[in-house]
Amino acid sequence: MAGAPPVRANLSAVTARPARVLVTGGAGFIGSHIVEALVADDVEVVVLDSLVAAAVDPARLPAGVELVVGDVRDPDAWRRAVAGCDAVCHQAARVGLGVDFGDVRDYVEDNDLGTAVGLLVLHETGFAGRIVLASSMVVYGEGRSRCPEHGVVAPPPRLREDVDAGRFEPRCPVCGADVEPEDVSEDVPTDPRNVYAATKLHQEHLTTVFGRDHGVPVTALRYHNVYGPRLPADTPYAGVAAIFRSSVARGEPPRVYEDGGQRRDFVHVRDVARANVAALLTDRPYDGPLNVASGTPRTVLDLARAVAEPAGLEPQVVGGGRLGDVRHIVASPQRAADTIGFRAVEPFDPNDIDT
């Protein structure tokens, strides 16, 4: 496991397989798949969900799952849900890039405050189990790239004039030359470039501090672009795969921003659920962040064509771009394989989405 930081020696008390797991957001897109995977592995599950953005009818949760309807910003809801649990899988969050900075309060309240309230309850109740947190690849910003002259560099944030002029490729911060993106490992310094990214990184920081203070492992799973059944569509917060599928369902070609050359890693939700189960049930819990990705980069235009071609449509490249977005972000999944034994196995199928 070269390059992976060791698990702290004082975590031996929480290596036992959890018997009862709290999944926040367990009726949501990713959370509902995690709940199903845990139940299939004979784990008792409690779900805490406000049902405001539920992806499944609560009546369709697996038999035996206990549902606590409540908001993660409410400490009483956490107290009811976490009683008797020996692990927490924190999925509840406001996701997506949002519309503009006007979303800042909603993101901070749902993501940061909701996490802080939950950790305070865990502190007050003497929780001593493992924690798995849903984080995101957005914490990396533009990641890392290689300049022909200056080697590995961190591309600076986008400039408005570049976006307006259709200049999307990142450049070397030293000489301004074009650079080639490289796979991002968990050791790359974080660089959030929008409100959502900032809140996800703060969630990591809060749970890490809790883990250090209480001697429990915290695994932050940095999801890449997740798609699959139950992915929400037709909202500003939907994944690009769902947005493309919704367009095709209406008989319209997918609209691709920039020039479509943005590179991403699209990982199926069932693989993401497997990563969570692996982190929760492994004999040796991992303490730190892990990339959850397929390991195969694709462009956004590749994705749009895969969705549109079965319907006889051709994607429409419309240009434009968002200042808070990034051009390329592709991760190395090696550390997750080395530490919790997770590798993505689902074939790439962007049409495997409910619309």
Side-chain angles (χ1 to χ4, degrees), residues 103-269:
D103 288 329
V104 62
R105 180 170 179 173
D106 291 336
Y107 275 94
V108 170
E109 286 186 349
D110 288 351
N111 297 354
D112 297 340
L113 179 60
T115 300
V117 168
L119 294 174
L120 178 59
V121 170
L122 298 185
H123 169 74
E124 293 173 344
T125 57
F127 178 81
R130 65 183 80 182
I131 298 173
V132 174
L133 171 71
S135 187
S136 172
M137 55 88 177
V138 294
V139 302
Y140 293 121
E142 193 69 54
R144 284 292 177 270
S145 297
R146 183 170 294 276
C147 171
E149 181 177 353
H150 297 100
V152 176
V153 295
R158 288 178 158 185
L159 299 176
R160 171 62 66 187
E161 53 264 36
D162 286 338
V163 173
D164 290 345
R167 295 188 294 266
F168 304 119
E169 289 295 338
R171 291 174 290 181
C172 175
V174 181
C175 66
D178 290 340
V179 294
E180 181 67 21
E182 295 196 337
D183 288 355
V184 174
S185 76
E186 294 84 350
D187 297 323
V188 168
T190 51
D191 184 17
R193 296 189 177 180
N194 56 65
V195 168
Y196 171 61
T199 63
K200 296 309 290 183
L201 184 57
H202 194 208
Q203 284 185 298
E204 285 195 25
H205 289 166
L206 290 171
T207 51
T208 297
V209 170
F210 177 90
R212 289 172 179 166
D213 284 355
H214 296 78
V216 302
V218 174
T219 310
L221 298 179
R222 292 174 174 170
Y223 303 158
H224 284 248
N225 291 71
V226 186
Y227 73 95
R230 306 172 201 158
L231 179 63
D234 294 326
T235 79
Y237 315 103
V240 65
I243 294 172
F244 289 167
R245 284 280 291 135
S246 295
S247 296
V248 170
R250 296 191 300 267
E252 301 171 359
R255 291 168 55 86
V256 179
Y257 290 110
E258 301 183 18
D259 59 6
Q262 311 94 300
R263 295 186 203 175
R264 298 289 188 270
D265 188 306
F266 298 97
V267 59
H268 198 282
V269 67

Side-chain angles (χ1 to χ4, degrees), residues 3 20 30 52 73 81 91 99 128 156 160 165 181 232 237 260 267 293 303 308-309 328-329 336-337:
R20 181 178 170 90
I30 296 175
V52 170
R73 296 168 295 179
Q91 303 294 314
V99 177
R160 171 62 66 187
Y237 315 103
V267 59
L303 174 73
E309 286 177 357
H328 307 297
I329 183 68

